Amino acid sequence: MAQSLEQALADFSPGLPFAVALSGGADSTALLLACARRWPGQVRAVHIHHGLQAAADDFEAHGRALCLQLGVPLAVRRVQAGHAPGQSPEDAARKARYQALAEAVHTEWPEVQDVALAQHADDQVETLLIALSRGAGLPGLASMPSQWQRQGLNWHRPWLAVPGAALREWLQSQGQSWVEDPTNTDEKFTRNRIRARVLPALAEALPAFRETFARSAAHAAQAQEVLNEVAAEDLLRIGVPPSIAALQSLSRARQALVLRHWLRLHHATTPSTAQLHELLDQVAACTTRGHRLHLKVGQGFVRRDGACLSHST
């Protein structure tokens, strides 16, 4: 069963005090309002002003008014997220947002260790469907975690089992307004097309899809945890930089796993499927001392450096 707002809030146990990421939309407005009532005096808010649309100033104004109403300290940060070649503007904006959130919390309230985000059950389904449409592996199918650690903070998504409609209904029952993102109805964005066309069809055909999809995502996340452990063990075995001979002693599937792990952990980059397959073919071909290897992989290049692989940008 989908969780109610009250159930989700009862299951949420952040360290106090904590911060809420406040966009000004319905989901984060509901999160800040509910948290401020449950933990009076213990909640802080951070608003990220992207400047990506005309309504950005309206979101900030709503956030300031709401925080003043609730007596919640507010930090506002402005970001202009440029995107690298091959990177989507949405992905660049997301990374810039997380960076700005973390910097604001560390700067304004050093005592804060926890941050709450307002993504809900429909967001989770949309993320899973987008991952499926792109042929994603387990990391993509695992979708969004409910809790994780990054940049010295504990991040939480307490609404992840709550349908978006339930949050709006609750806000209406409280007489609380919010700012509607004008781009939410623009179906040139894949997520909006899914929200407008696919979710209603799923609700009719598979009424419990939010819960069953969430279970599938949880299974994928659990399987990925096991693979991460295997990759970490294999990386210890092959060394850093990776020994080509040690790599060749592993199966192709485990070579792929450990190479992804090495590139992500040590070089903060992820190869495409085509790049990884080509890299595996080249590793297999490194049977003579003179075989050269120089491939574009992720945001840089993988080369053969004697008996090992190296990565550079």
Side-chain angles (χ1 to χ4, degrees):
M1 294 292 290
Q3 273 192 320
S4 68
L5 179 148
E6 292 78 13
Q7 288 171 326
L9 204 62
D11 292 342
F12 180 36
S13 300
L16 302 178
F18 68 99
V20 169
L22 175 65
S23 71
D27 315 324
S28 64
T29 295
L31 183 59
L32 184 65
L33 180 60
C35 289
R37 288 179 177 176
R38 183 172 183 190
W39 293 283
Q42 297 293 327
V43 180
R44 318 287 184 258
V46 181
H47 174 76
I48 305 301
H49 187 299
H50 286 288
L52 295 176
Q53 53 177 278
D57 291 339
D58 295 334
F59 282 111
E60 180 181 341
H62 169 77
R64 289 188 182 279
L66 180 62
C67 289
L68 184 62
Q69 168 194 330
L70 298 174
V72 170
L74 171 67
V76 176
R77 293 292 186 273
R78 292 176 176 259
V79 299
Q80 293 291 338
H83 60 283
Q87 183 186 34
S88 72
E90 293 83 3
D91 185 49
R94 179 182 59 81
K95 290 183 177 179
R97 180 167 63 252
Y98 277 108
Q99 182 66 34
L101 281 169
E103 290 177 355
V105 170
H106 287 311
T107 301
E108 300 289 337
W109 310 292
E111 73 279 10
V112 168
Q113 299 290 314
D114 294 70
V115 180
L117 306 173
Q119 287 96 348
H120 52 70
D122 295 344
D123 295 322
Q124 183 77 313
V125 171
E126 292 161 11
T127 300
L128 176 58
L129 290 174
I130 289 171
L132 284 168
S133 74
R134 293 173 177 170
L138 284 177
L141 300 182
S143 303
M144 296 184 289
S146 59
Q147 296 180 40
W148 75 104
Q149 293 181 326
R150 180 192 293 167
Q151 296 168 309
L153 294 168
N154 304 310
W155 302 79
H156 307 264
R157 291 188 175 105
W159 287 164
L160 212 51
V162 182
L167 299 175
R168 284 167 169 73
E169 289 169 5
W170 181 77
L171 283 175
Q172 290 169 345
S173 74
Q174 304 300 305
Q176 177 62 58
S177 64
W178 65 89
V179 179
E180 199 66 56
D181 188 337
T183 66
N184 280 346
T185 57
D186 187 347
E187 293 191 15
K188 74 179 180 183
F189 298 110
T190 302
R191 189 175 288 272
N192 291 346
R193 291 197 301 276
I194 292 172
R195 187 177 305 136
R197 305 182 193 183
V198 180
L199 297 193
L202 282 172
E204 182 177 354
L206 304 167
F209 75 94
R210 290 180 179 85
E211 297 80 50
T212 55
F213 282 24
R215 281 204 300 274
S216 291
H219 292 323
Q222 187 177 51
Q224 185 59 47
E225 284 184 24
V226 175
L227 291 179
N228 288 343
E229 292 175 5
V230 172
E233 292 173 0
D234 283 347
L235 190 58
L236 284 175
R237 186 176 301 114
I238 69 172
V240 177
S243 159
I244 294 172
L247 265 174
Q248 291 171 335
S249 71
L250 301 175
S251 68
R252 186 178 174 96
R254 285 178 71 160
Q255 287 180 37
L257 189 66
V258 72
L259 285 171
R260 281 188 184 276
H261 185 69
W262 166 59
L263 290 166
R264 182 178 64 251
L265 184 65
H266 290 275
H267 301 289
T269 193
T270 302
S272 69
T273 299
Q275 289 173 342
L276 185 60
H277 283 321
E278 177 63 21
L279 178 56
L280 291 171
D281 289 344
Q282 290 298 315
V283 167
C286 285
T287 56
T288 63
R289 188 182 298 273
H291 184 86
R292 298 185 63 190
L293 190 158
H294 183 274
L295 291 174
K296 178 75 169 69
V297 176
Q299 298 301 312
F301 294 86
V302 172
R303 298 177 174 84
R304 180 176 184 176
D305 187 6
C308 297
L309 298 179
S310 65
H311 182 277
S312 61
T313 53

